[in-house]
Amino acid sequence: MIRTGQRRWDGWRLGGRVLLAFLLVATLMPMAWMLSTSVKSQFAATQYPPEWWPRNPTLQEYTALLSPESAVGREFLRYMANSLWVSSATTLLGVAVAVPAAYAFSRFRFPGRNALFFAVLVRNMFPTVVFLMPLFIMMRWLGLVDTHWSLILTYLTFGLPLSIWLLKGFYDNIPVQLEQAARIDGATRFQAFLLIVMPLSSPGIIATAIYSFILAWNEYVYALTFLNDKTALTLPVGLQRFFSEHATNWPGLMAATFIMSIPVIVLFLVLQKYFVRALTEGAVKS
């Protein structure tokens, strides 16, 4: 019986590893093809049958995109700077709002607490495109159309519900007795929160920051709708408009897309342990 169970367990483990290997290949193949196309010439990128790796690879497209001396480089770097500003501002403001809001939902009891908490989560039950026209009308009324603040405020409405829910689960798992002990030692509630709760909840805060940054960095539909000024475009919209209006430069487009994906990949690889810990610890109340 033990051997049979062991064989069954080994079969499940083997099947799981095969499935993970398949998913890994399916995930990495688009990135590999993107990188391969980005170092090809225009002729090599359009030839048939395609070749996985060019015979004469070149970094010409990367040099042009990252050089502020060329027109293409100046435009690309402007788009990247806009995306960095919008994503960073969204992340900082999102964390600054989500942390005290989640702490209040976790520690305080007030009338309408549960209704308000679930009302926050209701926002994520609807597709983002449903709110496109109402938000556009509101931003036009506020005079924020064609400014980055329209995107920052919009992205906050997308990221805050999940961020608050995630952090609330983290605060629920932190014993209240730790704060009470700090209060007995003479600390104020704010000092107990800052010195005790914040360090213990750092994985959740980091996960929230990663989520907010990725959401703002990759968003396309609202950036396309709210921004018409070419100097204010973010990377997703800027790349689409630039390469569709001028020429079908596939190596240049793949090089720009690969550069665009690097910050997100590096951010997730460096901080993935905090992200996984936040999802496993913060989403389940002990």
Side-chain angles (χ1 to χ4, degrees), residues 98-110 113-114 117-118 121 163-179 193 197-198 200-202 204 278 280-286:
V99 167
Y103 182 79
F105 279 121
S106 176
R107 290 294 189 260
F108 301 127
R109 300 294 181 267
F110 49 87
R113 170 179 171 271
N114 292 332
F117 180 68
F118 286 109
L121 294 179
S163 300
I164 293 174
W165 173 79
L166 188 67
L167 285 173
K168 179 185 178 298
F170 235 95
Y171 293 140
D172 288 342
N173 286 330
I174 298 176
V176 182
Q177 290 78 5
L178 295 177
E179 297 176 69
F193 169 75
V197 178
M198 285 285 286
L200 293 176
S201 62
S202 58
T280 55
E281 294 184 10
V284 179
K285 183 177 179 180
S286 59

Side-chain angles (χ1 to χ4, degrees), residues 18-31:
V18 171
L19 178 61
L20 288 176
F22 173 78
L23 294 176
L24 180 62
V25 172
T27 302
L28 292 180
M29 279 189 64
M31 294 292 296

Side-chain angles (χ1 to χ4, degrees), residues 118-146:
F118 286 109
V120 171
L121 294 179
V122 165
R123 161 63 189 80
N124 281 9
M125 295 174 59
F126 300 93
T128 56
V129 71
V130 171
F131 302 95
L132 182 61
M133 290 309 299
L135 284 173
F136 178 80
I137 294 173
M138 185 178 70
M139 294 302 169
R140 186 177 62 180
W141 179 72
L142 294 174
L144 296 178
V145 175
D146 257 350

Side-chain angles (χ1 to χ4, degrees), residues 138-158:
M138 185 178 70
M139 294 302 169
R140 186 177 62 180
W141 179 72
L142 294 174
L144 296 178
V145 175
D146 257 350
T147 68
H148 291 148
W149 282 106
S150 63
L151 295 183
I152 294 171
L153 295 177
T154 300
Y155 297 159
L156 284 176
T157 65
F158 299 158

